[in-house]
Amino acid sequence: MPQSRSTQSQSGQSEGGQSQNGRNQSGRSGGRSGSGRRKKGLAPEEVARTAVEHVVEMTGRESEGVIALERTDDGWKVGVEVVESGRIPDTNDILAVYEAELDDEGNLLSYRRTARYYRGRFDRDKR
């Protein structure tokens, strides 16, 4: 019986893990957790990866990683740290934080640089 249920839930679902009517097999809308709270669209980890791709494409810079991820009313706000200027040794690199705003499907709505600092000196420079 569990095998039959698994087959049904996979075949009737769209890419977002939901059936075509926006509800999972239990009748609840939302993601795999069944909490019913998750909106349609990408999972947080997918949003983070997509934001990095957008920032790297827009800036032409190498990403260090995601440092913030926040759900908003209109989608997501993601902080991406990038190497603005690579130096030798890398402790002299200049890093920046870009804030990217994405909608629920991962489309870039806006982005901006919010901070710039030498690697390892972010807190000292903010004082």
Side-chain angles (χ1 to χ4, degrees):
M1 191 83 166
Q3 187 177 32
S4 166
R5 182 177 177 207
S6 173
T7 305
Q8 282 181 337
S9 68
Q10 288 177 1
S11 64
Q13 293 180 348
S14 66
E15 286 183 25
Q18 298 176 343
S19 66
Q20 292 174 356
N21 66 4
R23 301 203 175 269
N24 61 23
Q25 293 300 317
S26 65
R28 292 185 232 147
S29 54
R32 294 180 185 171
S33 66
S35 68
R37 291 178 44 181
R38 186 171 154 217
K39 292 182 179 181
K40 281 186 177 181
L42 302 175
E45 59 275 8
E46 295 170 312
V47 170
R49 274 192 294 275
T50 303
V52 168
E53 291 171 6
H54 285 305
V55 169
V56 166
E57 184 177 334
M58 297 297 289
T59 64
R61 310 260 191 241
E62 176 185 342
S63 168
E64 285 288 295
V66 172
I67 63 167
L69 179 68
E70 177 185 348
R71 187 77 166 110
T72 65
D73 291 337
D74 299 327
W76 297 90
K77 201 178 286 186
V78 184
V80 180
E81 188 175 52
V82 300
V83 178
E84 285 268 306
S85 179
R87 308 268 174 94
I88 298 175
D90 66 359
T91 54
N92 291 328
D93 287 351
I94 298 175
L95 303 179
V97 175
Y98 284 84
E99 181 182 274
E101 293 186 36
L102 283 71
D103 65 14
D104 286 328
E105 286 77 40
N107 298 309
L108 183 65
L109 301 175
S110 69
Y111 87 105
R112 64 189 173 106
R113 186 173 65 193
T114 59
R116 193 168 190 231
Y117 51 93
Y118 285 99
R119 185 184 295 274
R121 298 186 198 161
F122 185 77
D123 291 332
R124 187 179 342 159
D125 290 346
K126 289 197 75 158
R127 290 184 192 170

